[in-house]
Amino acid sequence: MATNVEVGQVLEGKVTGIQPYGAFVAIDGDTQGLVHISEIMHGYVKDINEHLSVGDTVNVKVIQIDEGKGKISLSIRATEEAPKETAKQDNTVRNYDSSNESSGFNILKDKLQDWIDQTQNK
């Protein structure tokens, strides 16, 4: 394993292989690492092949090095800015009033005793 690779470093690499769990990326002639499927992009990735192909050049950030196992964990999404939340989501969070007793989990609190009684009667 190359000793010139450090955690936090952003490098350019080439996708050398794709598996259902992630993509292997060569970061120099002797060193390659794995970009886990959860580190491909912000958001859910169902199929890596929809986002990457063997031979693609990508920017990756080194997120972990396991010298003992000789493994390097990489991230593509760490090199990209996270997408902004939609306005609808922002309004929901801003307009939430925790002092409103009729919203949220308070309805569950009202039903809890009924559920306990039903369980005990079975």
Side-chain angles (χ1 to χ4, degrees), residues 10-16 24-28 31-33 35 52-53 55-61 74 76:
V10 176
L11 305 163
E12 186 176 277
K14 186 174 254 187
V15 177
T16 59
F24 291 94
V25 176
I27 49 180
D28 67 26
T31 308
Q32 80 172 357
V35 179
L52 295 174
S53 299
D56 286 353
T57 301
V58 293
N59 288 325
V60 293
K61 183 173 185 176
L74 305 170
I76 296 172

Side-chain angles (χ1 to χ4, degrees), residues 25-112:
V25 176
I27 49 180
D28 67 26
D30 299 324
T31 308
Q32 80 172 357
L34 175 69
V35 179
H36 187 266
I37 189 169
S38 65
E39 294 293 334
I40 299 291
M41 62 176 282
H42 295 278
Y44 178 73
V45 174
K46 183 176 181 175
D47 183 3
I48 296 172
N49 294 297
E50 294 176 2
H51 304 279
L52 295 174
S53 299
V54 173
D56 286 353
T57 301
V58 293
N59 288 325
V60 293
K61 183 173 185 176
V62 180
I63 56 175
Q64 185 178 23
I65 299 173
D66 186 337
E67 292 283 343
K69 293 181 180 178
K71 295 182 178 181
I72 300 175
S73 297
L74 305 170
S75 174
I76 296 172
R77 77 178 184 158
T79 65
E80 302 168 348
E81 188 174 325
K84 303 280 185 199
E85 291 186 44
T86 64
K88 183 176 181 181
Q89 290 172 333
D90 289 345
N91 289 337
T92 303
V93 172
R94 268 186 263 151
N95 293 333
Y96 177 73
D97 182 5
S98 62
S99 65
N100 184 352
E101 291 296 322
S102 66
S103 67
F105 288 98
N106 291 324
I107 296 169
L108 292 175
K109 180 180 75 173
D110 296 338
K111 297 297 270 174
L112 182 60

